[in-house]
């Protein structure tokens, strides 16, 4: 059934550790509190605290800051603002981080102009946190208020085509055929408009930076909450003219990011600026409401039109989106392409535009763009199936494509069909009565819905270092990040597997710019990019070991090439005759070396990228129970079937998909930041009123992995599971609600009022 | 947070004296609301009279058969008290529908009565809010106001009293006993919280320095026919969009006595005594419930359309009344969305 193009994997499948549900190596540290987060590190010497003051207005200009009043308070050391901020970097581009979109990045405290509500305008530095917060609370700041506009609906007329320039952004596919004609002539058609407003990432850990001022020139240890220490380092280095030695950025643990930590946030700028100016250790931690003062998933308006022939083959597909961006940057997401990748239509039209409002620049949030586009297109596909008189599952299989229609390339692997089949079997889809409002549980309406999803399987440049010490312990490091994804354990597995060592003999370290560079953790690319670099580094150590083994007297491995050797159970063996074997500890002892080390690298394969389309897929099946009188919706059952290449660790991968499923549910039923357009301000900026699910909202979630062998998408066969699990879920819920109630709701979140 | 002084009072009269002898003093119960508000810099007491050591934690039977809930008894101890569970299950249910176990362990009954609104603007110093800053305006009138009320509102404030517990106390016709500089007095629960009118800064009818010492429940607890229906944006740990507490006395299918109150819709737990009378002596029926619901919301006023604005609460509120009355008459829990959730692992 499925088409797979794959060469044999380089990671042996007869493995002890790869593909096994091994516990997180960082788990004990996390549950015992030993794991330290950015705001928890101690420093050498006394620590001062910075507290950020944010603008109450959305647009205008600061006219006066009564700093003297708070400087009079004993223990308050400095009030930083545009009035006294040192002129570090003049040029915009110095503020561009690795994943900055096009435009002119926000420069904290750079000028008196206010561009968005909650813009940071002052940093108060004092001897204690309480004092800094108090001083901030009594600081008087005067503003000249100007008229703002935060209403996307009012600037639809000013929309412009989204410019290129941001990492990962793929412009809309080129149109095909004649969309309007095909749509007009088709016997079955649907058209709909879809909306969701802004959503904020809301990781549990607040953004925080502790700068340890080492008292040696400008040398600092900068403990930062981020999804990528190297990205923060280069940002700081450029702005403040620091060497990599001076700005060492450390991020060992990240209490959730979901995209919010892809770009350096303003607290790190403020903390480092203050440390440099005051030559003192500083800590700056955001408050929960400040967590709503920067990037977010953008408010997006979408329009879809789909039409089929009599049999239900898609003949016309149009997907258009308009998203908000700030006045200073063009945040772009890949929103409309995904429907074109999932379904082949001879006539297509895709369009993606932006309009500017007075907010901070939107920022990638879990499955950026795809989550938005997928909700709309998979809702429309469901509607289309009903119009064409087909079961929504059959409709998806009927319109299945083995090549990526947007690029006319084969997929490196695509087992979405198996996801649909296996998911349907597990869910019991064949028991479904397709008629809306036909299924009940007592007085509740029951609905079953399905949706497919698709995400990029991409690689980024990454590096790692492996050091095997004389006692046989292997330490591998890379400046990557673990925001909870399981990076620590899967990289340990990867290293243990490559050199055939037991897990206990391997340590993986991350999150320090003194380690080999790695990309920000995002885009579902860490497992394959860093994993391949780790494998490569360990293989290089393996090669050195083999050479050393061959130098031993009467070496049984004499004449064996690296390709013909295996690393198993702490031994190097010849593939042809495994009795020709040398223990690694013996090699180390005989060599007299104190350690053996090597660096490894990995990156995208440009030739494969030209030839193939690389994607992970999933199919989400959902049961909802709806109390129609009260509009309450409960998701009682989810089956999420995922095809994402090789699964390195089914336990952590399952957790990723569970988390993704909960995000999908959250997006479908709860998440929304309330923007008050009169004030130009997000209003529910706390955990009490920005709703995300609690345990009682989450019922049975079943995760299925449909494994794919795919050595083209990545040298280790991995596609990544960080985002894919979230896709399909929101649309499947909306589709299930339709099946339950006969109502199509095209606006998220599906709060009870929308069903009344 | 401002700096403040703190006294640990050990007796009610001592607490009142301490409180009235300091300018800008506040009582500190469990602190789950007050301390939050101090951190937000919304409340700036210069002195706290801590009530933690007051001997007001008991729950005792009153001569007439009623029950006295000490003001310093925690919400958790109250909800799980055998007398409350057996005779006032409605009260237990409402308390347990609120907040989280940790919060209920810390929160006191007196504090629960006096918790302040959850209106977004009240919580955000950058925005105009008459309740926080009299005369500054009400941002909720036109802005997102999903948390705000539709009954008894005024042009100066449309906030709601957020407590679940208080909705049951209104339906149960509790009496609040308070002690002030001039001695003790009692306040009927209906008169305890007030409507915003021109003075939304005042949530209740307590005089300066008055301390809640107990909440007294009448003997009737409606243990045979009651329900608390709480509709909210997630299954737990969210304030009510609309909630209904009902206590009925039934004779067969005839409603002999009816008391009910609504949460999430007004500046106080909303009771409508005329609507209650419409039920009494009548046979329970969906039609009757709909008429009652229509009566309650006859003069409701919504503030804007769409899910960010609260007009939907009028329809949702009516439906919630119909459902809650049905649940209380039938005592059939299958139809209760809260129970549905809790019984699903
Ligand atoms: C995250 C969160 C979620 C919540 N969710 C819910 C919910 O779903 N439903 C719900 O009903 N509640 C909810 N609450 C509110 C909670 O019930 C209240 O915070 C709590 O009941 C307040 O009691 P306390 O003793 O801590 O009061 P405190 O914070 O100590 O005091 C609150 C106010 O009462 C005054 N006060 C205290 N005791 C007395 C007294 N004896 N006499 C006079 N004045 C007094 C104080 O001066 C203060 O003004 C939630 C709270 C939080 C923080
Ligand atoms: S409704 Fe009341 S609490 Fe809310 S903004 Fe208006 S005045 Fe303030």
């Amino acid at each position: 059934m499925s088409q797979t193009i794959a060469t044999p994997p380089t990671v042996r499948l007869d493995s002890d550790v790869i593909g096994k549900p091994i516990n997180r190596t960082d788990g004990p540290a996390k549950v015992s509190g030993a794991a330290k987060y950015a705001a928890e590190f101690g420093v050498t010497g006394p620590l001062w605290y910075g507290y950020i003051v944010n603008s109450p207005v959305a647009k205008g200009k600061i006219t006066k800051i009564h700093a003297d009043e708070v400087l009079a308070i004993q223990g308050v050391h400095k009030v930083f603002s545009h009035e006294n901020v040192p002129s570090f970097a003049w040029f915009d581009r110095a503020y561009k981080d690795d994943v900055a979109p096009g435009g002119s990045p926000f420069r904290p405290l750079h000028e008196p102009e206010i561009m968005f509500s909650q813009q940071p305008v002052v940093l108060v530095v004092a001897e204690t946190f309480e004092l800094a917060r108090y001083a901030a609370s009594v600081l008087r700041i005067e503003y000249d208020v100007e008229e703002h506009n935060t209403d996307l609906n009012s600037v639809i007329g000013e929309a412009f085509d989204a410019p290129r320039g941001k990492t990962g952004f793929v412009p809309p596919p080129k149109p095909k055929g004649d969309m309007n004609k095909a749509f007009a002539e088709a016997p079955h058609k649907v058209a709909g408009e879809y909306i969701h407003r802004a959503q904020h990432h809301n990781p549990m850990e607040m953004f925080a930076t502790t700068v340890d001022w080492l008292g040696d020139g400008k040398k600092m240890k900068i403990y930062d909450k981020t999804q990528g220490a190297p990205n923060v380092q280069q940002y700081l280095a450029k702005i403040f003219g620091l060497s990599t030695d001076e700005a060492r950025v450390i991020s060992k643990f990240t209490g959730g990011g979901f995209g919010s930590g892809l770009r350096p946030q303003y607290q790190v700028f403020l903390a480092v600026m203050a440390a440099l100016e005051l030559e003192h250790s500083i800590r700056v931690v955001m408050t929960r409401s400040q967590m709503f003062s920067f990037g977010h998933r953008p408010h997006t308006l979408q329009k879809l039109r789909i039409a089929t022939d009599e049999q239900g083959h898609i003949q016309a597909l149009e997907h258009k989106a308009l998203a908000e961006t700030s006045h200073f940057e063009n945040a772009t997401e890949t929103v409309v392409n995904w429907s074109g990748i999932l379904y082949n239509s001879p006539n297509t039209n895709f369009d993606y535009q932006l309009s500017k409002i007075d907010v901070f620049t939107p920022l990638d949030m879990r499955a950026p763009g795809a989550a938005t586009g997928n909700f709309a297109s998979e809702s429309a596909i469901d509607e289309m199936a009903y119009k064409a008189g087909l079961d929504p599952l059959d409709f998806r299989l009927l319109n299945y494509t083995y090549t990526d229609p947007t690029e006319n390339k084969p997929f490196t692997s695509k087992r979405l069909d198996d996801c649909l089949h296996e998911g349907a079997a597990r869910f019991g889809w064949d028991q479904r009565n397709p008629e809306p409002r036909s299924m009940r549980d007592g007085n509740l309406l029951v609905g079953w819905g399905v949706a497919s999803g698709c995400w990029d399987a991409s690689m980024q440049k990454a590096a790692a270092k492996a050091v095997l010490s004389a006692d046989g312990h292997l330490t591998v490091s890379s400046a990557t990040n673990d925001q909870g994804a399981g990076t620590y354990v899967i990289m340990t597995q990867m290293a243990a597997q490559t050199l055939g060592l037991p897990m206990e003999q391997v340590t993986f370290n991350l999150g320090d710019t003194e380690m080999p560079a790695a990309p920000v953790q995002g885009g579902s690319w860490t497992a394959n990019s860093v994993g391949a670099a780790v494998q490569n580094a360990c293989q290089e150590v393996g090669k050195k070991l083999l050479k050393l083994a061959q130098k031993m007297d009467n070496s049984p491995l004499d004449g064996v090439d690296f390709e013909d050797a295996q690393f198993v159970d702490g031994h190097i063996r010849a593939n042809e005759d495994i009795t020709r074997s040398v223990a690694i500890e013996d090699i180390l002892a005989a060599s007299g070396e104190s350690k053996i080390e090597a660096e490894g690298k990995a990156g995208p394969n440009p030739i494969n990228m030209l030839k193939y389309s690389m994607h992970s897929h999933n199919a989400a099946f959902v049961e909802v129970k709806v109390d129609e009188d009260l509009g309450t919706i409960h998701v009682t059952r989810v089956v999420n079937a995922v095809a994402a290449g090789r699964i390195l660790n089914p336990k952590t991968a399952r957790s990723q998909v569970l988390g993704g499923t909960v995000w999908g549910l959250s997006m479908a039923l709860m998440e929304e930041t309330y923007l008050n357009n009169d004030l130009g301000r997000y209003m529910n900026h706390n955990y009490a009123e920005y709703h995300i699910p609690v345990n009682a909202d989450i019922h049975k979630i079943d995760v299925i992995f449909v494994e794919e062998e795919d050595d083209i998408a990545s040298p280790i066969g991995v596609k990544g599971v960080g985002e894919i699990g979230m896709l399909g879920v929101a649309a499947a819920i909306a589709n299930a609600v339709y099946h339950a109630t006969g109502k199509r709701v095209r606006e998220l979140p599906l709060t009870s009022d929308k069903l009344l | 947070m401002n700096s403040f002084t703190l006294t640990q009072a050990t007796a009610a009269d001592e607490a009142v004296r301490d409180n009235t002898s300091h300018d800008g003093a506040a009582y500190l119960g469990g602190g789950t609301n007050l301390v939050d508000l101090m951190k937000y810099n919304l409340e700036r007491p210069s002195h706290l009279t801590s009530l933690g050591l007051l001997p007001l934690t008991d729950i005792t039977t009153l001569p007439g058969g009623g029950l006295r809930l000490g003001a310093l008894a925690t919400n958790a101890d109250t909800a799980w008290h055998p007398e409350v569970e057996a005779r006032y299950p409605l009260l237990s249910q409402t308390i347990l529908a609120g907040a989280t176990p940790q919060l209920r362990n810390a929160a006191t009954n007196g504090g629960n009565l006096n918790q302040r609104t959850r209106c977004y603007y009240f919580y955000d110093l950058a925005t105009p809010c008459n309740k926080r800053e009299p005369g500054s305006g009400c941002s909720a009138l036109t802005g997102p106001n999903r948390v705000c009320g539709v009954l008894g509102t005024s042009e100066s404030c449309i906030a709601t009293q957020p407590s679940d517990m208080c909705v049951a106390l209104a339906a149960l016709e509790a009496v609040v006993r308070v002690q002030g500089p001039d001695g003790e007095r009692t306040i009927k629960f209906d008169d305890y919280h007030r409507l915003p009118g021109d003075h939304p800064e005042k949530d209740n009818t307590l005089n300066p320095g008055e301390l809640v010492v107990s909440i007294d429940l009448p003997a009737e607890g409606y243990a045979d026919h009651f329900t608390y229906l709480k509709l909210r944006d997630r299954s737990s740990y969210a304030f009510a969009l609309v909630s209904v507490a009902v206590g009925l006395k039934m004779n067969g299918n005839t409603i002999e006595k009816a008391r009910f109150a609504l949460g999430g819709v007004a500046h106080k737990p909303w009771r409508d005594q005329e609507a209650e009378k419409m039920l009494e002596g009548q046979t329970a029926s969906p039609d009757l419930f709909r008429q009652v619901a229509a009566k309650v919301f006859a003069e409701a006023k919504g503030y804007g359309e769409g899910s960010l604005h609260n007009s939907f609460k009028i329809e949702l509120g009516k439906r919630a009344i119909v459902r809650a009355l049905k649940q209380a008459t039938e005592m059939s829990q299958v139809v209760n969305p809260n129970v549905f959730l809790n019984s699903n692992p």
Side-chain angles (χ1 to χ4, degrees):
Chain A
M1 288 263 325
S2 304
Q3 184 195 13
T4 5
I5 304 161
T7 49
T10 45
V11 176
R12 273 182 295 270
L13 286 167
D14 59 345
S15 131
D16 300 334
V17 289
I18 292 294
K20 298 287 182 294
I22 296 174
N23 287 343
R24 289 164 192 266
T25 45
D26 52 324
K30 279 186 175 162
V31 296
S32 66
K36 279 195 181 168
Y37 293 80
E40 299 177 331
F41 284 89
V43 296
T44 35
L47 179 64
W48 288 349
Y49 295 79
Y51 196 88
I52 304 161
V53 181
N54 302 73
S55 167
V57 304
K59 199 167 173 187
K61 199 173 170 177
I62 301 171
T63 52
K64 181 140 185 64
I65 298 176
H66 297 266
D68 45 339
E69 294 173 7
V70 303
L71 285 167
I73 304 169
Q74 201 193 342
V76 175
H77 289 292
K78 189 86 181 178
V79 173
F80 286 106
S81 70
H82 70 278
E83 290 179 349
N84 60 1
V85 70
S87 53
F88 291 113
W90 276 103
F91 296 108
D92 262 14
R93 64 171 181 276
Y95 287 78
K96 284 225 180 230
D97 63 275
D98 280 355
V99 286
S104 168
F106 173 62
R107 291 175 291 183
L109 313 193
H110 199 80
E111 56 228 339
E113 279 72 26
I114 303 299
M115 297 182 289
F116 56 96
S117 190
Q118 280 195 300
Q119 177 174 320
V121 292
V122 158
L123 182 77
V124 180
V125 178
E127 275 166 27
T128 65
F129 169 76
E130 288 75 11
L131 194 57
R133 178 172 65 177
Y134 169 74
S137 77
V138 295
L139 176 63
R140 291 189 301 133
I141 303 175
E142 294 171 32
Y143 298 87
D144 254 354
V145 183
E146 287 167 37
E147 213 173 303
H148 63 262
N149 185 2
T150 51
D151 182 4
L152 180 61
N153 290 309
S154 73
V155 289
I156 292 176
E158 293 159 33
F160 56 96
D161 286 341
R164 291 165 183 256
K166 190 182 138 235
T167 312
F169 172 62
V170 186
K174 300 226 156 44
K176 278 196 260 182
D178 187 338
M179 173 67 206
N180 286 334
K181 183 159 174 285
F183 188 79
E185 291 171 358
H188 304 302
K189 56 190 99 179
V190 295
E193 296 189 18
Y194 299 81
I195 299 170
H196 72 68
R197 285 174 282 269
Q199 301 164 7
H200 280 75
H201 306 73
N202 270 303
M204 195 70 107
E205 184 196 9
M206 253 72 88
F207 276 87
T209 305
T210 301
V211 182
D212 187 358
W213 183 259
L214 299 172
D216 172 12
K218 290 181 182 173
K219 268 195 167 179
M220 291 170 278
K221 273 199 222 167
I222 301 159
Y223 301 98
D224 190 37
K225 186 231 164 92
T226 172
Q227 286 170 240
N231 188 30
V232 173
Q233 182 186 51
Q234 66 87 17
Y235 169 84
L236 296 172
K238 281 192 296 182
I239 293 172
F240 297 112
L242 298 168
S243 68
T244 52
D245 205 32
E246 289 165 332
R248 175 177 172 192
V249 179
I250 299 168
S251 174
K252 292 284 170 195
F253 294 96
T254 302
F258 317 115
S260 62
L262 290 172
R263 303 186 68 184
Q265 291 308 350
Y266 58 78
Q267 95 290 344
V268 72
F269 170 94
L270 296 174
V272 170
M273 172 203 70
L276 285 165
E277 280 300 287
L278 302 171
E279 303 193 342
H280 204 280
S281 295
I282 297 278
R283 173 171 300 154
V284 181
V285 184
M286 285 196 195
T287 62
R288 177 58 61 191
S289 46
Q290 284 166 349
M291 295 293 284
F292 289 74
S293 64
F294 50 88
H296 52 276
R297 194 193 294 283
H299 180 183
T300 308
L301 313 170
Q302 299 180 73
K303 288 185 185 173
L304 267 122
R305 289 195 297 162
I306 310 179
T308 68
D309 62 16
E310 288 294 353
Q311 292 75 39
H313 297 106
I314 297 175
Q315 296 303 311
L317 168 63
E318 180 176 72
H319 193 167
K320 296 178 164 186
L322 168 67
E324 50 150 316
T325 190
S326 66
H327 276 286
F328 45 97
E329 283 174 314
N330 293 317
T332 50
E333 296 180 325
T334 307
V335 176
V336 297
N337 311 39
W338 312 96
S339 46
I341 296 172
L342 280 174
Y343 304 100
N344 196 0
S345 169
N347 303 287
T348 60
N349 186 34
F350 301 96
D351 186 36
Y352 173 59
Q353 294 193 310
L354 301 177
S355 276
K356 291 178 177 292
I357 53 174
D358 293 307
V359 293
F360 193 87
T361 312
L363 174 60
D364 284 351
M365 175 160 141
R366 205 163 189 179
T372 299
N374 178 272
F375 156 67
S377 63
E378 285 297 295
S379 297
I381 286 287
D382 193 76
E383 198 170 347
M384 189 69 250
Y386 271 92
K387 274 277 170 67
L390 288 167
D391 178 281
L393 177 66
D394 296 341
F395 183 81
R396 285 177 170 81
L397 291 166
L398 179 72
N399 286 288
Y400 198 79
T401 174
Y402 290 98
T403 52
D404 175 351
T406 63
E407 300 191 334
N408 281 321
K409 291 180 199 169
F411 293 103
T412 54
S413 56
K414 177 182 174 184
R415 291 187 64 194
L416 172 59
D417 47 357
D418 291 324
C419 292
L420 288 163
H421 289 302
E422 289 185 31
R426 179 80 61 90
F427 189 81
W429 187 260
D430 58 348
Q431 302 297 306
R432 180 179 185 264
N433 181 340
E435 196 57 39
R437 308 181 61 81
S438 62
M439 292 167 65
R440 280 177 182 272
D441 171 10
N443 71 327
L444 301 172
L445 292 166
V446 176
W448 289 2
V450 62
S452 306
C454 169
W455 180 251
D456 293 322
S458 63
M459 275 192 84
Q460 302 283 323
K461 277 190 193 159
K465 182 175 173 181
V467 181
L468 184 64
S469 56
D471 63 0
H473 197 90
L474 177 67
T475 305
V476 183
S477 57
S478 170
T480 182
N481 171 262
D482 189 345
Q483 49 172 324
T487 314
Y488 274 106
V489 65
I490 60 170
M491 295 308 155
T492 312
Q493 285 172 268
M494 191 54 99
Q497 172 69 37
T498 310
L499 285 178
L501 296 172
M503 286 286 285
E504 310 77 65
Q505 230 166 291
V506 183
T507 304
F508 180 74
N509 292 324
L510 56 70
D512 188 331
T513 49
E514 296 203 329
M515 298 170 181
V520 291
Q521 183 165 64
S524 296
W525 57 54
T526 300
N528 48 4
S529 310
V530 180
V534 167
Q535 186 193 43
N536 187 240
C538 293
Q539 283 173 338
E540 292 306 313
V541 168
K543 285 178 190 165
K544 291 185 180 178
L545 273 175
L546 180 60
K547 279 209 184 110
L548 291 170
Q550 289 166 340
K551 281 192 193 148
M552 290 164 74
D553 293 340
N554 301 322
S555 173
L557 295 174
D558 215 23
V560 176
D561 287 338
F562 180 71
E563 286 67 33
D564 301 324
Q566 50 181 258
F567 290 74
V568 181
D569 284 345
H571 288 69
I572 309 181
R573 297 170 181 162
N575 279 341
E576 285 193 345
D577 174 4
I578 60 167
T579 62
R580 290 174 64 191
S581 163
V582 184
I584 290 177
E585 55 181 300
D586 294 342
I587 305 174
L588 288 166
S591 73
E593 305 271 351
S594 66
K595 61 181 179 188
I596 297 167
E597 60 178 63
E599 288 225 8
K601 284 197 163 57
N605 178 327
I607 298 170
N608 284 346
M609 284 172 68
L610 280 177
K611 289 206 309 215
Y612 299 103
S613 175
M614 306 180 187
H615 288 93
S616 53
H617 293 88
N618 78 325
F621 295 81
V622 163
E623 175 181 85
V624 299
K625 292 190 178 168
V626 180
D627 188 320
E628 195 175 23
D629 292 341
L630 305 176
T632 52
I633 301 169
H634 296 117
V635 176
T636 46
R637 211 151 59 84
V638 181
V639 173
N640 200 339
V642 175
R646 170 173 300 129
I647 301 304
L648 295 173
N649 182 330
K651 189 168 191 175
T652 53
R654 177 170 176 274
S655 293
Q656 282 294 293
V657 176
L658 289 179
T661 306
V662 174
W663 268 75
L665 185 154
S666 188
M667 177 177 185
L669 300 182
M670 295 171 202
E671 283 194 54
E672 172 160 27
T673 321
Y674 306 158
L675 181 54
N676 181 317
N677 286 321
D678 299 337
L679 301 166
R681 190 170 174 93
Y682 296 114
M683 287 316 307
N684 52 339
H685 43 69
N686 55 61
Y687 266 168
E689 298 302 332
Y690 183 94
H691 296 116
I692 56 172
V694 294
N695 284 345
D697 294 305
I698 305 301
H699 300 273
K700 195 169 163 40
I701 304 174
D702 220 337
V703 177
I704 298 173
F705 287 112
V706 174
E707 289 226 13
E708 295 166 322
E709 281 189 19
D710 186 338
D711 258 22
I712 307 172
S714 106
I716 56 171
V718 168
K719 288 180 176 175
V721 291
E723 342 260 341
I724 187 66
M726 153 160 209
L727 296 169
V729 178
I733 290 172
N735 297 342
V737 167
Y738 169 73
H739 181 229
T741 65
K743 276 193 190 131
R744 281 274 169 214
V745 184
R746 300 188 181 84
E747 179 181 333
L748 295 183
L750 266 154
T751 43
S752 53
D753 49 278
K754 301 194 178 74
L755 288 183
L756 293 182
Chain B
M1 199 189 255
N2 285 6
S3 53
F4 56 86
T5 51
L6 182 139
T7 310
Q8 286 270 12
T10 51
D13 48 358
E14 182 199 340
V16 173
R17 263 199 314 277
D18 177 70
N19 193 268
T20 44
S21 63
H22 288 85
D23 278 342
Y27 289 118
L28 178 68
T32 61
N33 189 223
L34 181 59
V35 177
D36 261 12
L37 294 169
M38 287 165 72
K39 288 184 188 166
Y40 272 98
N41 202 29
L42 304 180
E43 304 257 19
R44 304 178 189 99
S46 51
H47 179 77
L48 292 180
T49 309
S50 172
L51 307 177
L53 298 179
L54 294 197
L56 296 174
T57 53
D58 286 348
I59 293 176
T60 46
T61 311
L62 291 169
L67 198 66
R68 172 161 291 172
L69 313 174
L72 270 299
T74 67
N75 286 179
D77 286 346
T78 306
W80 298 114
H81 192 277
E83 283 286 301
V84 177
E85 280 192 287
R87 295 177 49 210
Y88 306 92
L90 173 60
L91 181 61
S92 279
Q93 251 193 30
T94 52
I95 295 175
L96 297 177
T100 63
Q102 295 91 327
L103 283 159
R104 296 193 298 261
N105 285 340
T108 63
N109 292 336
N112 194 312
L113 260 50
N114 295 324
Q115 62 174 293
R116 309 216 63 190
T117 187
R118 294 280 161 171
C119 177
Y120 325 118
Y121 310 96
F122 178 71
Y123 264 84
D124 187 337
L125 281 167
T127 68
C129 166
N130 287 327
K131 184 182 274 299
R132 178 171 30 79
E133 195 79 49
S136 63
C138 172
S139 301
L141 286 176
T142 53
N145 53 27
R146 194 175 166 83
V147 279
C148 294
V150 293
L151 286 167
T153 53
S154 77
E155 288 303 300
S156 38
C157 179
I158 61 172
T160 57
Q161 206 280 342
S163 166
D164 290 299
M165 180 186 185
C166 290
V167 186
L169 293 175
L172 291 168
E173 299 183 291
V175 170
V176 184
R177 245 176 79 239
V178 304
Q179 187 168 333
D182 307 324
E184 237 183 76
R185 65 175 180 125
T186 55
I187 308 172
K188 286 202 297 199
F189 208 80
D190 283 341
D191 300 331
Y192 186 82
H193 296 101
R194 50 185 300 285
L195 291 179
D198 293 333
H199 288 284
E201 71 280 7
K202 269 186 79 59
D203 293 349
N204 55 42
T205 53
L206 282 182
N207 294 319
E210 274 185 329
L211 172 78
V212 175
V213 289
S214 77
I215 301 161
D216 294 353
L217 303 175
E220 179 56 74
Y222 308 97
D224 294 329
H225 289 278
F226 68 93
T227 206
Y228 186 56
L229 176 66
K230 180 177 180 184
L231 302 173
R232 43 185 152 176
D233 280 328
R234 62 181 162 201
S235 302
S236 164
Y237 206 21
F239 291 92
L241 287 170
V242 172
S243 70
V244 188
V246 183
L248 301 176
K249 269 184 75 97
M250 304 280 296
N251 185 351
N253 205 24
T254 305
I255 300 168
E256 288 190 333
K257 191 173 176 194
R259 293 290 179 271
F260 71 91
L262 276 74
V265 292
H267 202 255
K268 60 190 286 189
W270 189 260
R271 245 187 98 193
D272 185 328
Q273 298 192 32
E274 284 172 40
E276 288 171 353
K277 285 210 185 74
M278 286 169 71
L279 288 161
E280 292 179 346
Q282 304 296 315
T283 307
S285 78
D287 264 353
L288 175 65
F289 298 163
R290 277 194 285 272
Q291 286 163 24
V292 167
K295 157 72 186 72
V296 172
F297 283 94
E299 282 166 35
K301 178 167 165 36
Y303 293 83
E305 302 302 319
S307 60
L308 268 50
H309 294 89
N310 72 1
S311 293
F312 73 88
K313 285 189 175 182
I314 297 174
E315 180 59 27
L316 187 65
K318 288 183 199 168
R319 294 180 183 206
I321 290 176
V322 172
R323 174 65 62 83
L325 288 170
K326 179 175 154 67
Q327 284 180 190
T329 47
E330 296 173 3
M331 286 306 277
S332 55
Q333 295 296 334
V334 252
V335 286
N336 184 335
N338 299 317
V339 174
F340 164 79
L341 280 159
N342 296 337
S343 64
N344 267 275

